[in-house]
Amino acid sequence: MTPRRPARLVVLVSGSGTNLQALLDACADPSYGARVVAVGADRDDIEGLARAERAGVPTFVRKVGQFTSRDHWDRAVTDTVAGFEPDLVVLAGFMKLVGAEFLTRFGGRVVNTHPALSPSFPGMRGPADALAYGVKVTGCTLFVVDAGVDTGPIVAQRAVPVEDDDTADTLHERIKVAERAMLVDTVGRMARAGWTVEGRRTRFGDEG
Ligand code: GAR
């Protein structure tokens, strides 16, 4: 994929939006090579939407409950996102699985950030599951979204040590520090250099 310059990012959120904020801050520098053209959510009244509004970025909300089926919701999200003509869609703490229509329209151009080292601990409780398992190192993963749960081709990972006195919350907060840096570094490189996906292998356009 070779994005436009600056690359157009649509970011989907469900919560506090600290990863979104890191992207918004990075995009303030023109040399970053990307800008957030819209932020979408599956719920109202979240800090992620407030962050977008403060940055002057258009927002939209599509709640599953507003639609007669999950497929209708997926189609509505797909159409709305498509209207913003994204080069890259970033799921940043978006707590819904996107559906078949979304992946057909944007396949290979949707990344998700997950607070664990894939393929370990997929799902909604990555930090808590890593802690319960007793691993000494966990981390975060940015991957190209496919039809599975946190199974897509990996673009970047960062390792984070587990401390003896960690709770799921303290561990998640430490992971999120690494995750924001990973997201900013990786999305910027994708925007500036482009990327390819071949099977499970991803590559930046500036790699040999
Ligand atoms: C992030 O740690 C993200 O990886 C996680 O939610 C957090 C959102 O934080 N996502 C998942 O667990 C999805 N499986 P934020 O709203 O402050 O960016």
Side-chain angles (χ1 to χ4, degrees):
M1 308 276 172
T2 308
R4 285 159 285 191
R5 187 76 186 256
R8 296 172 63 83
L9 309 180
V10 171
V11 184
L12 302 185
V13 297
S14 297
S16 62
T18 63
N19 281 284
L20 164 66
Q21 187 69 55
L23 283 175
L24 289 168
D25 293 346
C27 288
D29 179 349
S31 68
Y32 184 66
R35 69 190 175 103
V36 179
V37 296
V39 171
D42 63 328
R43 60 198 76 183
D44 300 307
D45 297 329
I46 54 171
E47 183 59 17
L49 288 171
R51 290 176 191 277
E53 281 155 18
R54 285 197 293 273
V57 172
T59 62
F60 60 89
V61 175
R62 299 288 180 274
K63 299 183 211 175
V64 171
Q66 293 171 316
F67 298 89
T68 50
S69 71
R70 188 73 182 227
D71 283 348
H72 284 142
W73 172 80
D74 186 51
R75 201 168 308 141
V77 174
T78 302
D79 288 344
T80 307
V81 170
F84 292 102
E85 300 182 4
D87 293 296
L88 184 62
V89 181
V90 181
L91 310 185
F94 189 57
M95 296 302 186
K96 290 279 183 302
L97 293 179
V98 294
E101 176 118 5
F102 194 91
L103 289 177
T104 301
R105 188 89 69 102
F106 305 115
R109 286 191 287 148
V110 186
V111 290
N112 189 10
T113 176
H114 179 61
L117 285 178
S118 298
S120 296
F121 312 121
M124 309 286 276
R125 293 171 29 92
D129 290 346
L131 194 65
Y133 195 90
V135 296
K136 300 298 186 192
V137 177
T138 183
C140 49
T141 302
L142 188 75
F143 62 94
V144 177
V145 176
D146 67 8
V149 177
D150 302 325
T151 52
I154 292 167
V155 187
Q157 293 187 298
R158 299 276 167 96
V160 174
V162 179
E163 308 292 351
D164 288 344
D165 58 353
D166 263 333
T167 64
D169 285 345
T170 61
L171 179 58
H172 195 181
E173 284 309 312
R174 190 166 338 101
I175 291 169
K176 283 176 70 170
V177 174
E179 192 176 22
R180 290 189 284 266
M182 173 188 73
L183 187 67
V184 165
D185 290 352
T186 311
V187 167
R189 192 164 171 198
M190 293 173 87
R192 291 186 300 273
W195 70 96
T196 57
V197 182
E198 274 179 40
R200 288 211 55 84
R201 305 289 297 274
T202 70
R203 225 179 251 273
F204 298 106
D206 55 4
E207 285 175 332

